Amino acid sequence: MGRMGAVTSTAPSPGSPDSSLLDLAPVIPVVIVHDVADAVPMARALVAGGLPAIEVTFRTPAAADAIRAIAEEVPDAVVGAGTVLSPEHVETAVAAGARFLVTPGWTDRLLGALDASGLPYLPGVSTTSEVVALLERGVEEMKFFPAEAAGGTAYLKALASPLPRARFCPTGGVNASNAAGYLALPNVGCVGGTWMLPSDALAAGDWARVESLSRQAAALRD
């Protein structure tokens, strides 16, 4: 885990320390936290609904504190950092207690920082050449982003035969209506999405609704 030449995105899970991040649940919620006070009740609702892996994106100033709060107060959550764009983001995420890292794309410099962190990570790809470059480095688990805009299920299906070692977490335009189509593909381990976190439920603090939608998402692979 976390070494060039033998990189797998393996995250510790509540039940199995050696489980792949892609296998923790069929859906990884992609979370944008504006108010740190929402982080813990939101995470508890997601976990209660069967979605333990939670990606908190570095899209707001509250992100690092939200990761820290979830890591400290929701022990059954596997909280990670998303929209990781720089080595500085990597450092901040590690310090906050993130257990995995997700990027929308990658450069050699960023990949080096991800690897040096010792955490499992999903580097973002949207082209065949990017996938081949990562496979050459021993990275076999990736984020496919932006999934729908980059070709969706048809594109991933086309990659499965020539690049069978690559496994993906498609994110970007994935929702309740098309998630099952992605999850049916042999090279998709899970998907990332936000549909279990509707803005009106978050604004109202309706964590029961979040839990219910999370339960539906978790059942996509039952």
Side-chain angles (χ1 to χ4, degrees):
M1 178 181 71
R3 293 188 298 275
M4 290 298 182
V7 177
T8 58
S9 297
T10 304
S13 74
S16 173
D18 297 322
S19 293
S20 166
L21 174 61
L22 299 186
D23 297 327
L24 290 181
V27 181
I28 295 178
V30 179
V31 178
I32 301 173
V33 178
H34 295 280
D35 187 343
V36 175
D38 291 336
V40 168
M42 177 199 62
R44 287 175 175 156
L46 293 169
V47 171
L51 302 180
I54 302 169
E55 176 189 336
V56 178
T57 62
F58 274 123
R59 300 185 191 184
T60 69
D65 287 337
I67 291 169
R68 184 174 294 106
I70 294 170
E72 292 176 353
E73 299 185 45
V74 191
D76 289 336
V78 180
V79 62
T83 318
V84 174
L85 300 175
S86 66
E88 292 74 26
H89 273 167
V90 172
E91 183 178 344
T92 299
V94 171
R99 294 170 68 182
F100 65 91
L101 306 169
V102 184
T103 78
W106 62 276
T107 63
D108 287 338
R109 179 170 177 260
L110 179 56
L111 199 66
L114 293 168
D115 190 63
S117 74
L119 295 179
Y121 56 84
L122 295 174
V125 297
S126 60
T127 69
T128 305
S129 293
E130 291 172 312
V131 176
V132 171
L134 288 176
L135 289 173
E136 188 176 77
R137 294 167 176 260
V139 181
E140 298 183 352
E141 297 186 348
M142 312 164 195
K143 172 180 178 174
F144 180 56
F145 177 83
E148 283 289 283
T153 55
Y155 192 95
L156 287 174
K157 185 176 181 180
L159 293 184
S161 180
L163 301 171
R165 287 167 47 214
R167 295 182 74 215
F168 301 96
C169 174
T171 306
V174 181
N175 53 49
S177 64
N178 62 16
Y182 281 99
L183 291 167
L185 298 176
N187 54 351
V188 170
C190 65
V191 299
T194 62
W195 72 89
M196 71 297 301
L197 296 161
S199 58
D200 57 341
L202 297 182
D206 189 351
W207 309 121
R209 184 178 173 203
V210 171
E211 180 179 341
S212 177
L213 291 171
S214 298
R215 189 170 290 107
Q216 295 172 30
L220 284 170
R221 190 166 276 153
D222 285 352

